[in-house]
């Protein structure tokens, strides 16, 4: 049983480190909202027109990255 837990912890740390590495990358602001087909002008110095769009897009990006990692 301990082996399984160790393995799970290792995998968890791997995902965590990958998430931190992805987060640390500086992202340049965009003039247009980056959320899918929104197309609204984004708020000054951000990449999104609203908090909702930012959360939506971050969830999407996160799920894409997670699919790549788990392969
Ligand atoms: Zn938007």
């Amino acid at each position: 049983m301990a082996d399984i837990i160790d393995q799970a912890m290792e995998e968890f740390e791997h995902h965590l480190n990958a998430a931190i590495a992805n987060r640390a990358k500086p992202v340049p602001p965009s003039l247009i909202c980056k959320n899918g087909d929104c197309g609204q002008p984004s708020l000054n110095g951000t990449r999104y027109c609203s908090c909702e769009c930012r959360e939506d897009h971050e969830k999407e990006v996160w799920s894409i990255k997670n699919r790549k990692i788990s392969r």
Side-chain angles (χ1 to χ4, degrees):
M1 276 309 258
D3 282 352
I4 290 164
I5 292 163
D6 279 353
Q7 243 174 35
M9 283 306 290
E10 253 176 55
E11 199 171 315
F12 174 74
E13 271 175 38
H14 175 78
H15 283 275
L16 197 68
N17 288 337
I20 290 164
N22 286 333
R23 236 180 225 197
K25 272 184 213 160
V27 188
S30 164
L31 288 175
I32 304 292
C33 180
K34 287 276 182 188
N35 181 32
D37 54 1
C38 173
Q40 296 286 318
S42 53
L43 299 172
N44 241 351
T46 75
R47 300 189 302 147
Y48 306 98
C49 67
S50 66
C51 291
E52 285 81 14
C53 273
R54 184 177 60 85
E55 280 170 19
D56 263 23
H57 186 70
E58 279 178 355
K59 267 181 223 161
E60 199 184 304
V61 169
W62 184 85
S63 68
I64 290 165
K65 272 175 188 159
N66 260 34
R67 256 180 267 147
K68 273 182 192 164
I69 287 164
S70 61
R71 217 190 288 162

